[in-house]
Amino acid sequence: MKINPLPLLLCFTTLINALEIDIQDKKSICSASSQVYRGMMDYYDGDNYGGVVGMFQPPYYWWQAGHAWGGVIDYWYYCGKNESVEQVLYDSLMAQTGKNFDYIPQNQSTTEGNDDQGFWGIFVMSAAERNFTPPHEDSDVPDWLSMSQAVYNTMWERWDTEHCGGGLRWQIFEWNSGYDYKNTVSTACLFQMAARLARFTRNDSYVETAETVYQWLIDSEFIVEEETTRVYDGSEIGDGNCSNIVRLEWTYNFGLMVSGAAYIYNYTESDEWFARVSHLVNGASVFFDDGILYERACQGPDNCNNDQRSFKAVFSRSLAMASVLVPALYDDIRPLLESSAEAAAKSCSGGSDGVTCGLDWTTGEWDGKYGLGEQMSALEIFNSLVAPLSPAPFSQEDEGVAVGNPNAGIDSDSTDLAHQKLNITGRDKAGAAIITALIMLSIIIGAIWMVL
Ligand SMILES: *[C@@H]1O[C@H](CO)[C@@H](O)[C@H](O)[C@H]1NC(C)=O
Ligand SMILES: *[C@@H]1O[C@H](CO)[C@@H](O)[C@H](O)[C@H]1NC(C)=O
Ligand SMILES: *[C@@H]1O[C@H](CO)[C@@H](O)[C@H](O)[C@H]1NC(C)=O
Ligand SMILES: *[C@@H]1O[C@H](CO)[C@@H](O)[C@H](O)[C@H]1NC(C)=O
Ligand SMILES: *[C@@H]1O[C@H](CO)[C@@H](O)[C@H](O)[C@H]1NC(C)=O
């Protein structure tokens, strides 16, 4: 039986210690990470009776699993390639890829958004870049790179020039509310995939896509590029020009942009991309309170939902990746990661295990909050410290072995779900619509708070 950590919290709080980390010592960091990972797996569903491999327990959505595993695969890679962790990752990659190997599995097809597919795409891309255990050779399963390309190809096919001159809608399917919202996160996931495929395959066609996507984000003013670049949330399509920008700044949107730009720079070595990454890195300062990372848009009003509580994870991963791929910016970035990791460790001092992580890292102690997002964020800020000690993501030019298939996902004989007439019941549609309506509502409430 799984024990819910909540009821046990209070009685044990006097017995416990915070996670101790020495930020100069890899062993100490990896040992802290393994404890945080263990806490994260309390929410894992795949080894429960009736649970789904690759998924975390409700209320955590499918996308968050893809996002979580993206951090776990880095932990696996940086901290000694633990075999039990490897097995969980492998099983999850295989269980959720779907029959077209593009991370639109049947179970998710009524609710999946572009960003949801994007986060699983980012995870499988990491598998390619780390030479992660390939799918068994005797199966007809394509390699991790092909799956990444299938995600990219299906997302790029949805690039919508009919409204607002480009961009990706938040949702893939019309019946989901949020379909009329174009947002940075979906578009930035595509940007990230293009950037990493460019660097991995050395195919400039992906650079062109990345340029197009970046330019659209600038033109639509979802991103305002200055000495310190700002990254906003998105806009309703409205009259067709997406001019009603929601100026919320989330760490994960920012993270996807800064690491994507870093990948492109690392591959192209162009001055223009160097300037873009630097301006983004300068802009990161809005997410730090006295050197400590925080989710300003919701930690301020103290209304972070389950999704938002995990955003710092992708930000930490991304900023670390920028410091690896753009060594000239390492000294600017590193101190922010170190001070945030030390603060995060102090917040990992709650719960019955004494090492449950909190949401707010600025207080020097556990803030009483806990959940998958809190564990993910702590894991990834710890990862960020050890990232420079392992080889950078591989490419086909060095040790990357995946061969890929540039037409994956859009081969004539594959049946792309997004283009198929789906047999979906009214009840599924209603359920999906309610979920997205709730998410929209929380965005609007957040926006109102920002204005006040
Ligand atoms: C799809 O959902 C059902 C019901 O929750 C579950 O039994 C099944 O394992 C899921 N399949 C996949 C591939 O996730
Ligand atoms: C690998 O990870 C599992 C799960 O966290 C842990 O129980 C095990 O001790 C680890 N193995 C090694 C060799 O560190
Ligand atoms: C968008 O359309 C509205 C209404 O047609 C117009 O007032 C506004 O100036 C347009 N904005 C941009 C940026 O084109
Ligand atoms: C790309 O990243 C690698 C790995 O960190 C680094 O050695 C190399 O200098 C980077 N390239 C550029 C142009 O900064
Ligand atoms: C490069 O990528 C594009 C876009 O996916 C693809 O059409 C083309 O075939 C690729 N070229 C090579 C040589 O793989």
Side-chain angles (χ1 to χ4, degrees):
M1 196 185 107
K2 280 268 170 196
I3 297 173
N4 184 325
L6 178 60
L8 296 174
L9 295 180
L10 297 173
C11 29
F12 289 100
T13 36
T14 50
L15 302 175
I16 52 164
N17 304 303
L19 278 183
E20 305 257 333
I21 59 163
D22 171 356
I23 56 169
Q24 306 304 337
D25 177 34
K26 178 168 174 173
K27 242 180 104 182
S28 127
I29 295 161
C30 284
S31 140
S33 302
S34 77
Q35 301 203 59
V36 174
Y37 170 76
R38 210 169 303 146
M40 195 170 150
M41 294 302 278
D42 283 345
Y43 303 99
Y44 183 55
D45 205 23
D47 37 49
N48 294 335
Y49 179 74
V52 180
V53 174
M55 284 283 281
F56 289 83
Q57 292 159 24
Y60 301 109
Y61 294 124
W62 183 76
W63 87 276
Q64 198 167 340
H67 172 28
W69 301 131
V72 171
I73 196 171
D74 281 355
Y75 158 61
W76 166 84
Y77 186 72
Y78 299 147
C79 291
K81 300 192 176 176
N82 177 304
E83 283 176 16
S84 92
V85 176
E86 179 176 341
Q87 192 64 51
V88 174
L89 290 167
Y90 182 88
D91 292 344
S92 300
L93 279 168
M94 296 296 265
Q96 296 300 328
T97 185
K99 71 176 176 7
N100 297 324
F101 306 107
D102 59 1
Y103 291 94
I104 307 184
Q106 197 74 42
N107 271 5
Q108 303 303 327
S109 58
T110 55
T111 52
E112 185 166 337
N114 278 305
D115 51 344
D116 306 325
Q117 188 188 19
F119 276 98
W120 278 88
I122 287 166
F123 170 34
V124 73
M125 188 71 224
S126 295
E129 289 171 346
R130 306 302 193 191
N131 281 346
F132 186 73
T133 327
H136 296 304
E137 270 174 33
D138 55 354
S139 66
D140 54 3
V141 178
D143 64 14
W144 307 131
L145 178 61
S146 303
M147 294 189 201
S148 309
Q149 287 167 315
V151 171
Y152 164 86
N153 285 332
T154 50
M155 288 180 80
W156 183 226
E157 276 202 324
R158 293 182 213 117
W159 185 255
D160 169 35
T161 49
E162 222 173 284
H163 307 90
C164 317
L168 282 182
R169 293 166 181 271
W170 181 17
Q171 297 300 322
I172 299 176
F173 303 107
E174 278 168 66
W175 57 79
N176 286 318
S177 60
Y179 183 72
D180 290 332
Y181 190 69
K182 289 212 171 169
N183 63 5
T184 302
V185 67
S186 296
T187 308
C189 281
L190 173 62
F191 174 68
Q192 167 103 182
M193 292 304 290
R196 292 170 71 166
L197 286 168
R199 184 175 172 279
F200 192 91
T201 65
R202 318 255 138 188
N203 176 339
D204 285 337
S205 154
Y206 298 117
V207 178
E208 280 169 36
T209 303
E211 294 271 3
T212 302
V213 174
Y214 195 89
Q215 196 55 51
W216 181 80
L217 286 164
I218 301 280
D219 292 344
S220 62
E221 297 173 18
F222 287 18
I223 293 183
V224 177
E225 193 184 357
E226 291 168 351
E227 262 322 288
T228 57
T229 295
R230 314 299 290 260
V231 179
Y232 299 125
D233 190 71
S235 170
E236 287 287 334
I237 289 171
D239 293 338
N241 65 8
C242 292
S243 57
N244 193 10
I245 310 268
V246 175
R247 288 196 172 74
L248 284 175
E249 295 174 79
W250 297 109
T251 55
Y252 79 152
N253 286 331
F254 187 92
L256 293 169
M257 293 311 301
V258 76
S259 51
Y263 270 95
I264 294 276
Y265 165 69
N266 191 265
Y267 169 50
T268 62
E269 301 187 16
S270 89
D271 293 343
E272 190 186 19
W273 280 104
F274 182 78
R276 286 171 171 171
V277 192
S278 325
H279 296 158
L280 279 159
V281 169
N282 294 341
S285 60
V286 298
F287 299 113
F288 290 88
D289 175 2
D290 212 6
I292 299 172
L293 176 59
Y294 79 121
E295 192 64 55
R296 71 194 295 251
C298 67
Q299 277 186 227
D302 192 20
N303 61 3
C304 298
N305 68 23
N306 281 326
D307 288 338
Q308 293 156 358
R309 283 149 70 164
S310 70
F311 289 175
K312 295 199 294 284
V314 82
F315 179 92
S316 305
R317 187 197 311 170
S318 296
L319 210 54
M321 201 38 74
S323 78
V324 166
L325 295 175
V326 191
L329 298 177
Y330 181 87
D331 289 341
D332 294 335
I333 295 172
R334 181 75 186 180
L336 294 170
L337 300 175
E338 289 183 350
S339 49
S340 297
E342 282 184 315
K346 291 191 185 120
S347 104
C348 295
S349 56
S352 57
D353 59 2
V355 290
T356 295
C357 302
L359 176 64
D360 184 354
W361 299 345
T362 65
T363 63
E365 59 187 11
W366 184 51
D367 64 353
K369 302 236 169 33
Y370 62 93
L372 178 59
E374 284 82 347
Q375 296 302 119
M376 289 165 61
S377 298
L379 180 75
E380 297 222 36
I381 196 71
F382 296 158
N383 277 345
S384 80
L385 297 181
V386 289
L389 306 175
S390 292
F394 296 136
S395 76
Q396 284 174 337
E397 203 169 66
D398 46 55
E399 290 169 59
V401 295
V403 176
N405 165 15
N407 298 318
I410 50 170
D411 282 339
S412 51
D413 58 343
S414 88
T415 46
D416 179 7
L417 250 172
H419 297 161
Q420 231 180 52
K421 281 266 175 257
L422 288 168
N423 180 17
I424 287 164
T425 66
R427 207 170 134 225
D428 283 341
K429 289 189 196 178
I434 288 167
I435 290 169
T436 37
L438 285 174
I439 296 171
M440 277 313 281
L441 188 69
S442 80
I443 289 185
I444 290 163
I445 291 170
I448 291 169
W449 179 84
M450 289 293 280
V451 170
L452 295 177

